[in-house]
Amino acid sequence: MPSKQILVGIVGVGLVGSELVSQILSIPAARNPFKIVFLASSTKVLYAPVVDADPAKWKAALAASTEAVDLKALGGYLRTLVAQQQGQGEGVEGRAVIVDNTSAEGVAGMYAEWIGQGVSVVTPNKKGFSGDRGVWEGILRAAEGEGAGRWLNESTVGAGLPVVNTLREMVGSGDRVRKIEGVFSGTMSYIFNEWSGVPSGKGEGEGGGRKKFSDVVRVAREKGYTEPHPADDLNGADVARKLTILARTIGACAVGETAGVPVLGSYRDVQTQSLIPKALEGEGSGDVFVSRLGEFDEEFERLREEAEREGCVLRFVGVVDVENGVVKAGLEKYPVSHPFATSLGGSDNIIMFHTERYSPRPLIVQGAGAGAAVTAMGVLGDLLKLV
């Protein structure tokens, strides 16, 4: 066994959480530094679980648990376990971690407390890093305390792609970011790759017909690429959250002067273009939304035709422009020769870092930006940084 054993508590055991458990168990026992000491759903917790390779077994045990989850107690539980292993009086930092696989604000609101207790936090949950500025600053303050835990959130942007850590290393080593731009939403990537792709000369869609925007959204939903209610993707909020995380990461990790880095109260401060037709704003039913979206295909078609006349395609892009102090998300036109037009497929993400060192040619990170397997891989990668 590795000399340093890390106790892992997992909150959220859905698609990503279950995949993470499987990936942890896939590490050969002789060099596996991780011991899962609790599993928690939104309502129950299973302490000292017997984690079998067959997920049905530990899921059944969690479902049968009579112990209600108490978020405030989880950090103390880990501290007690570490103290029992190391002897009273020794710190827990680097030896205990809570993984939050949820998207819950309430769980994110516990990060500062856990970190202050010496328990690290690893998570794909964007809420704590993109919401209210006070929550974010509380996390930073907690991490500066003596014996504090760490916060690692690679998978909040780009799932398993090396985006956040790349940015941290850039600015932490003294590089100055000029602009970050990219296709940050796997859902938006799929929709616009299908609907406003590079012309092939063979027509679009089966039979050579041009695809309608509403049909592409409907198929994306059927394939599980969108949220159950596609408006939750088309409103651009997911991209705005990711941009907020990147902007805040620059400010938190930069060496020296950070003038020009946008200060955001929350992701709502991002200049975000919503693609929801005004008549459908507030429509609560995803089914009704999709059924009515076709009423607005002509409006979307005009946007596509305008881009094509200019030799361009449309992409839903996020930008952190440090030089001009602007953070925005919305539709942009790109020439058909641009990487945003030619390099994307499926639900890929692509991110360009324009910095002093990476100039005039930017550093480009590209690949699958969504899915349980790659998201869990990003989480596990962060866990390995604690070893």
Side-chain angles (χ1 to χ4, degrees), residues 283-303:
E283 173 53 61
S285 167
D287 291 336
V288 172
F289 182 91
V290 171
S291 68
R292 291 194 56 198
L293 190 59
E295 299 171 18
F296 308 92
D297 278 335
E298 289 186 7
E299 296 178 20
F300 286 103
E301 182 60 27
R302 283 194 291 271
L303 295 173

Side-chain angles (χ1 to χ4, degrees), residues 145-221:
E146 183 178 354
R150 297 170 61 187
W151 52 274
L152 296 158
N153 62 333
E154 178 67 84
S155 46
T156 56
V157 181
L161 294 178
V163 176
V164 174
N165 194 54
T166 296
L167 180 59
R168 281 180 167 178
E169 291 179 353
M170 280 179 171
V171 298
S173 64
D175 200 358
R176 295 179 66 86
V177 176
R178 294 172 176 169
K179 182 170 70 172
I180 303 171
E181 60 180 330
V183 175
F184 291 95
S185 165
T187 301
M188 293 293 208
S189 181
Y190 174 83
I191 289 172
F192 284 92
N193 289 338
E194 291 292 305
W195 180 68
S196 184
V198 178
S200 64
K202 297 180 182 180
E204 301 180 44
E206 296 181 7
R210 287 170 66 84
K211 296 179 181 179
K212 297 179 180 179
F213 186 80
S214 62
D215 288 340
V216 173
V217 173
R218 174 181 52 78
V219 172
R221 185 180 187 231

